[in-house]
Amino acid sequence: MSYYFSEHSEVPDKPSLISYRFHGRDLVFHSNSGVFSKEHIDQGTETLLDAFYEDMEKLKDENLELFRSLTKGQALDLGTGYGAIAIVAKKLYPASTWTLSDVNDHALDLARKNLEENFIQGSRVIKSDGFEHLEGSFDLILSNPPIRVGKDKLYELFRGMQAHLSPEGRAYIVIGKKQGAKSAQTYLESLFSQVDLIYKKKGFHILRLQAAKDEEA
């Protein structure tokens, strides 16, 4: 499965079409061999999207000004695959501007196709190994990170989130309990002033990250 995290996929072509409904929004995703969860939206991503939506709707009731700022700002789907997270989030909050990044060329081609298929405008697709080619700050960062790349690479992604999250921004990540969620949370607490476990479901933990700590702290 290492091809999910490499630039080029040489697996046989086997296209598929995924129909997906999220809170009354009907979406279609083109998928293919060589990308993660090619036949359906994976459970980790679904759990992340559920938690993100619930948390943002709660924020809308508690702090409408911050909610509007976040949902009108710059957003990042880190390790986008065929683009499901960004596309669902854009449908939920149309004023947001999304960057979809991945290192896999095949995934990026599908993400571009799915943006068009779902009538998403004003978003960009960038090839980047982690944050290598990503510039500026983001008000929202969502990621179902590639746990199998190993702890060193995973923690490098976390440090990238710290460096690129806007001062009042929020990052949301999903990690399986059996995939090191507890140790990952401990490490993230060294990078961010606020790390909250906001959702648990079927072995998946959703962490919300806020207020990146000063690197010298």
Side-chain angles (χ1 to χ4, degrees), residues 122-135:
S123 297
R124 59 178 183 162
V125 177
I126 293 180
K127 182 176 181 179
S128 183
D129 184 359
F131 285 86
E132 181 181 10
H133 298 301
L134 298 175
E135 298 179 352

Side-chain angles (χ1 to χ4, degrees), residues 105-133:
D105 289 320
H106 201 32
L108 294 172
D109 288 341
L110 289 167
R112 293 185 186 95
K113 189 173 185 178
N114 287 325
L115 287 172
E116 294 181 4
E117 181 72 32
N118 293 283
F119 306 102
I120 302 294
Q121 297 181 341
S123 297
R124 59 178 183 162
V125 177
I126 293 180
K127 182 176 181 179
S128 183
D129 184 359
F131 285 86
E132 181 181 10
H133 298 301

Side-chain angles (χ1 to χ4, degrees), residues 112-167:
R112 293 185 186 95
K113 189 173 185 178
N114 287 325
L115 287 172
E116 294 181 4
E117 181 72 32
N118 293 283
F119 306 102
I120 302 294
Q121 297 181 341
S123 297
R124 59 178 183 162
V125 177
I126 293 180
K127 182 176 181 179
S128 183
D129 184 359
F131 285 86
E132 181 181 10
H133 298 301
L134 298 175
E135 298 179 352
S137 62
F138 298 93
D139 303 296
L140 291 171
I141 300 175
L142 272 65
S143 185
N144 183 353
I147 302 298
R148 292 183 179 85
V149 297
K151 182 179 287 188
D152 290 345
K153 184 67 175 179
L154 182 63
Y155 285 12
E156 181 183 325
L157 293 178
F158 293 163
R159 292 191 296 272
M161 291 181 185
Q162 176 200 38
H164 290 269
L165 187 65
S166 67

Side-chain angles (χ1 to χ4, degrees), residues 74-78 86 97-101 123-124 126 134 138:
Q74 296 294 320
L76 172 65
D77 179 358
L78 180 65
T97 300
W98 282 84
T99 296
L100 293 73
S101 74
S123 297
R124 59 178 183 162
I126 293 180
L134 298 175
F138 298 93

